Amino acid sequence: MSAKRQKIRYPSASDSGGRGESSKPVVGGIEASTAKSRPESPATSSEQLMEKICERDNCLQALKRVKSNKGSAGIDGKTVEQLPAYLKEHWPAIRDQLLSGTYQPSPVRRVEIPKPDGGVRKLGIPTVLDRMIQQAVLQVLQGKWDVTFSPHSHGFRPGHSAHQAVAEAQQYVREGCAWVVDLDLEKFFDRVNHDRLMAAVARRVADKRLLLLIRAYLKAGVMENGLVGTTEEGTPQGGPLSPLLSNLVLDELDRELGRRNHCYVRYADDCNIYVRSQQAGERVMRSIMRFISNRLKLKVNEQKSAVARPAERKFLGFSMTAGGRKRRIAPKSLLRFKQKVRKLTSRTKGIGIEQVAKKLTSYLRGWKSYFGFCETPSTFRRLDEWLRHRLRAILWKQWKRGTTRFTKLCELGVNRGLAARTAGSPNGVWRLANSPALSYALPTSYFDSLGIPRLYTGK
């Protein structure tokens, strides 16, 4: 679905059997959700998927993708640079194991990374060989399965993006859905039921060798602190195949939401349902929580989930103004931005401004490519002003002595009287960083010359 959505018409009460609160909008006269009418790509007994997975071109493409993604080594210590030489020597034997259904993956290496909102996210890093095999499997299965998934699911899918998900949510709000049921699945990737997942895979895959391989990856185990533990549930984040399997698990939720004719959008385990009243939202919340618990065997995090106005919630880093008129950057996302910039521009590290600029430029470009999707340019203007203020403070701190500061200001064109008053001022670094002398000596063009991109590029 493109971010520029077709005009949405809500059906009348007679069209939806009187279920006006959460009725599904109609796009171009056709019900927007087609997930319930699409085939589930049923498996056929004649499938020979493992041969397709092991084809030379597919494996070379998988190897190229793994090398481009880089990433750290698994438990065997092998890097992506070492993988081609290893495959040249061992691939015939590995291929035979895959085709005979006897290949056994290595355990994944446990890595914990901090979450933006606190806590840690546990990743499982497979060996580079297992990453290549998973990528080869993904390339064959994704093309077969993706066309059967809901158009309202946008996470980890070719042709879909977080921006499309946000734009779709905004459109629901603009069309009158004034309340959102914001669902947060608690530790989703760690709690996927293996038996339910394999049953869903078996409905789409008949090749028993592939079924054995996927289950082997689920059961491969995790190495932590030098010890290998078993994995009885969950799909460890970190492998190429995990996102596709997670979408398969939540496809059942998509189908249920489509069957109930709800307006919803999902990105991985972030799911928002849009309704027209608080009462409808609370009713939907109770009902969907029961479905997720009883049918999917998953758990909703009640502390992070809520029925609220869309402007009060964030979705994929964005929030909205009243009525969905504009997309804006969520307050928590702005806070994380400032925390990251403070870390990159710490005044106590003693590194040169050129090195600071290099690190900062890389971060700013990536951040802007995502959050540039917002519709409130004044936010970027304010961030630019704050960022330049902070960079001036770094330089003022680095110049240290009054004589050095006086000399630098004069070299940068400040008249001697103003330079002397500023260099001898008892005011603190942050206050002086916004003084007339430093604003003149270090204008925006100076930071442009260092290659630091502006967030706001309008007039």
Side-chain angles (χ1 to χ4, degrees), residues 31-288:
E31 182 178 322
S33 176
T34 58
K36 63 181 180 181
S37 62
R38 292 187 177 187
E40 271 202 20
S41 182
T44 59
S45 58
S46 61
E47 277 187 319
Q48 297 293 309
L49 292 179
M50 194 58 78
E51 278 73 14
K52 293 181 181 179
I53 290 167
C54 292
E55 283 180 359
R56 175 181 173 83
D57 288 346
N58 187 56
C59 290
L60 286 174
Q61 183 182 346
L63 175 60
K64 183 178 179 181
R65 184 62 181 269
V66 169
K67 288 174 67 178
S68 67
N69 288 342
K70 299 181 180 180
S72 57
I75 64 170
D76 61 358
K78 288 188 177 64
T79 64
V80 290
E81 291 77 17
Q82 295 170 318
L83 182 57
Y86 180 83
L87 289 173
K88 187 174 182 179
E89 181 179 354
H90 298 283
W91 177 247
I94 295 169
R95 184 177 184 276
D96 287 344
Q97 292 173 20
L98 290 169
L99 293 175
S100 64
T102 59
Y103 179 80
Q104 287 298 317
S106 301
V108 299
R109 180 170 64 87
R110 174 70 79 207
V111 175
E112 294 184 349
I113 59 173
K115 289 184 178 181
D117 298 328
V120 295
R121 176 177 286 109
K122 294 183 177 181
L123 299 183
I125 308 300
T127 63
V128 289
L129 172 62
D130 282 326
R131 293 211 294 273
M132 194 213 77
I133 294 172
Q134 285 193 36
Q135 180 64 34
V137 173
L138 173 69
Q139 290 166 182
V140 170
L141 294 185
Q142 190 164 53
K144 293 169 63 65
W145 294 3
D146 192 77
V147 293
T148 72
F149 292 154
S150 167
H152 306 295
S153 165
H154 298 279
F156 310 121
R157 297 181 60 191
H160 292 256
S161 69
H163 288 172
Q164 290 176 339
V166 172
E168 184 177 0
Q170 182 183 17
Q171 186 67 14
Y172 286 139
V173 178
R174 285 178 173 176
E175 293 292 331
C177 293
W179 292 84
V180 60
V181 180
D182 187 355
L183 294 169
D184 183 275
L185 298 181
E186 187 173 303
K187 297 182 179 178
F188 165 70
F189 287 92
D190 297 330
R191 290 184 171 170
V192 170
N193 183 281
H194 286 177
D195 291 335
R196 286 189 59 81
L197 172 56
M198 289 308 303
V201 175
R203 287 194 290 270
R204 297 167 178 253
V205 171
D207 192 323
K208 292 184 178 179
R209 298 165 300 176
L210 182 52
L211 293 174
L212 287 171
L213 179 64
I214 293 174
R215 184 173 281 277
Y217 274 119
L218 294 175
K219 300 288 187 182
V222 176
M223 176 173 282
E224 195 168 12
N225 299 322
L227 300 175
V228 176
T230 59
T231 47
E232 300 301 326
E233 60 181 4
T235 58
Q237 291 175 270
L241 197 54
S242 181
L244 179 64
L245 296 179
S246 67
N247 271 332
L248 181 59
V249 171
L250 292 176
D251 185 55
E252 189 172 352
L253 173 61
D254 293 339
R255 291 175 183 276
E256 180 65 16
L257 293 173
R259 186 186 68 79
R260 298 184 186 192
N261 216 26
H262 287 314
C263 303
Y264 76 96
V265 58
R266 183 175 66 78
Y267 191 94
D269 54 338
D270 288 329
C271 183
N272 281 4
I273 306 168
Y274 294 86
V275 297
R276 297 195 175 201
S277 71
Q278 184 177 8
Q279 183 181 9
E282 291 171 351
R283 183 175 66 248
V284 169
M285 174 71 88
R286 290 191 297 269
S287 177
I288 294 301

Side-chain angles (χ1 to χ4, degrees), residues 403-431:
T403 52
T404 304
R405 290 170 173 175
F406 173 77
T407 302
K408 290 286 187 180
L409 289 176
C410 291
E411 288 175 354
L412 292 168
V414 179
N415 70 69
R416 294 177 64 86
L418 180 59
R421 289 194 300 273
T422 306
S425 173
N427 292 325
V429 170
W430 184 252
R431 183 172 177 180

Side-chain angles (χ1 to χ4, degrees), residues 77 157 160 177 181 294 299 301 314 337 348 360 364 402 432:
R157 297 181 60 191
H160 292 256
C177 293
V181 180
N294 297 337
K299 185 178 180 182
N301 187 327
K314 77 176 177 70
F337 170 82
T348 61
L360 191 59
L364 291 177
L432 286 173

